[in-house]
């Protein structure tokens, strides 16, 4: 199928509502990697992230008839996924976990193939960054994941999170302020290697340092395209 004949996300969602048995599966194929990346970084737990994405996709499947096209399908899917993650994060916050369990969950964030493909120092950076993110409140973590790690414009992240742009900015600012003491040495190490972070919103010295992460491919970074 050529790009010119490739149906838009919105067209696929309409087909799904009309009864096309394959349309929603194509939407999932286009967006699941990016949804998974957001869920994993927001929750910091592979099983919780997988369950959150599953819950979100089931909700989207059932609620497709309510989509009115006021935002892109990808934004709509991300909003549902982030809400599912925040629900799980709030429930997890009420449960006490041992340091051993926390360490085990952090170790699970490194994909098996990544251990062989990513230099050891990048694995360490990634592990430290994710560990630092886990210290933030879920709402701040979600904002930073979208803006600093996924490259969303603040306005689009606000739409995903369902809050004003000012709220996203303040959550990011508070999150960065809390992370800065823990991540200063990571920023210095990246600077020594001449590494500059990409992304649409990254300003030097203000955003979370970017590291290699699970499913961090072009498909994850760019998503499945906007309808």
């Amino acid at each position: 199928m050529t790009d010119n004949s490739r149906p838009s996300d919105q067209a696929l969602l309409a087909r799904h509502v009309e009864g096309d048995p394959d349309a929603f599966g194509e939407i999932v194929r286009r967006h699941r990697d990016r949804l998974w990346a957001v869920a994993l970084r927001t929750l910091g737990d592979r099983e919780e992230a997988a369950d959150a994405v599953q819950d979100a996709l089931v909700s989207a499947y059932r609620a497709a008839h309510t989509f009115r096209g006021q935002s892109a399908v990808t934004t709509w899917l991300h909003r549902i996924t982030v809400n599912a993650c925040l629900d799980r994060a709030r429930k997890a916050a009420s449960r006490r976990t041992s340091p051993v369990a926390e360490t085990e969950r952090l170790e699970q964030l490194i994909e098996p193939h990544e251990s062989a493909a990513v230099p050891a120092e990048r694995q360490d950076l990634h592990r430290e960054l994710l560990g630092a993110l886990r210290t933030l409140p879920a709402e701040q973590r979600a904002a930073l994941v979208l803006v600093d790690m996924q490259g969303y414009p603040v306005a689009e992240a606000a739409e995903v999170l369902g809050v004003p742009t000012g709220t996203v900015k303040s959550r990011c600012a508070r999150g960065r302020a809390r992370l800065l003491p823990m991540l200063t040495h990571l920023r210095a190490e990246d600077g020594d290697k001449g590494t500059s972070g990409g992304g649409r919103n990254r300003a030097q010295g203000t955003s979370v340092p970017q590291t290699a992460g699970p499913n961090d491919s072009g498909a994850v970074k760019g998503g499945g395209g906007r309808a």
Side-chain angles (χ1 to χ4, degrees):
M1 180 176 294
T2 65
D3 289 341
N4 290 336
S5 59
R6 185 173 182 262
S8 68
D9 290 342
Q10 192 164 341
L12 284 171
L13 200 62
R15 290 184 189 178
H16 163 65
V17 172
E18 293 167 0
D20 186 331
D22 301 318
F24 195 79
E26 173 61 16
I27 291 175
V28 172
R29 187 192 67 77
R30 292 180 184 182
H31 298 283
R32 62 188 171 193
D33 284 348
R34 198 174 185 192
L35 297 177
W36 165 252
V38 168
L40 183 60
R41 286 164 164 169
T42 301
L43 291 168
D45 180 282
R46 293 181 60 80
E47 290 186 6
E48 286 286 313
D51 288 344
V53 172
Q54 182 67 23
D55 290 347
L57 290 176
V58 169
S59 294
Y61 183 94
R62 293 173 175 170
H65 65 283
T66 68
F67 180 76
R68 295 291 179 260
Q70 296 175 335
S71 62
V73 171
T74 185
T75 302
W76 179 71
L77 288 172
H78 274 71
R79 183 184 304 123
I80 294 172
T81 301
V82 169
N83 285 337
C85 289
L86 293 178
D87 285 343
R88 287 185 170 272
R90 293 184 189 106
K91 291 176 183 176
S94 67
R95 299 193 298 265
R96 295 182 62 87
T97 55
S98 69
V100 173
E102 293 290 325
T103 302
E104 288 173 352
R105 279 201 289 273
L106 189 57
E107 291 296 331
Q108 289 172 354
L109 290 171
I110 305 299
E111 293 278 8
H113 71 268
E114 187 184 27
S115 297
V118 179
E121 62 270 19
R122 296 303 290 174
Q123 291 184 42
D124 291 340
L125 288 175
H126 182 222
R127 188 177 291 107
E128 287 191 51
L129 174 57
L130 289 170
L133 280 171
R134 283 183 60 79
T135 68
L136 299 181
E139 288 79 6
Q140 290 178 20
R141 195 187 318 158
L144 282 175
V145 165
L146 289 174
V147 174
D148 281 355
M149 302 184 78
Q150 293 299 113
Y152 269 85
V154 170
E156 195 169 344
E159 190 173 0
V160 168
L161 295 170
V163 298
T165 57
T167 300
V168 173
K169 290 178 181 178
S170 64
R171 287 178 182 177
C172 286
R174 291 196 301 270
R176 290 170 188 147
R178 291 183 61 169
L179 289 179
L180 187 59
M182 292 179 277
L183 301 180
T184 298
H185 67 291
L186 302 185
R187 192 185 307 278
E189 288 170 10
D190 273 355
D192 291 341
K193 296 172 185 176
T195 302
S196 59
R200 291 173 287 187
N201 289 286
R202 296 188 181 90
Q204 187 173 5
T206 61
S207 61
V208 174
Q210 187 178 17
T211 66
N215 295 312
D216 269 352
S217 62
V220 174
K221 179 67 179 176
R226 283 160 176 68

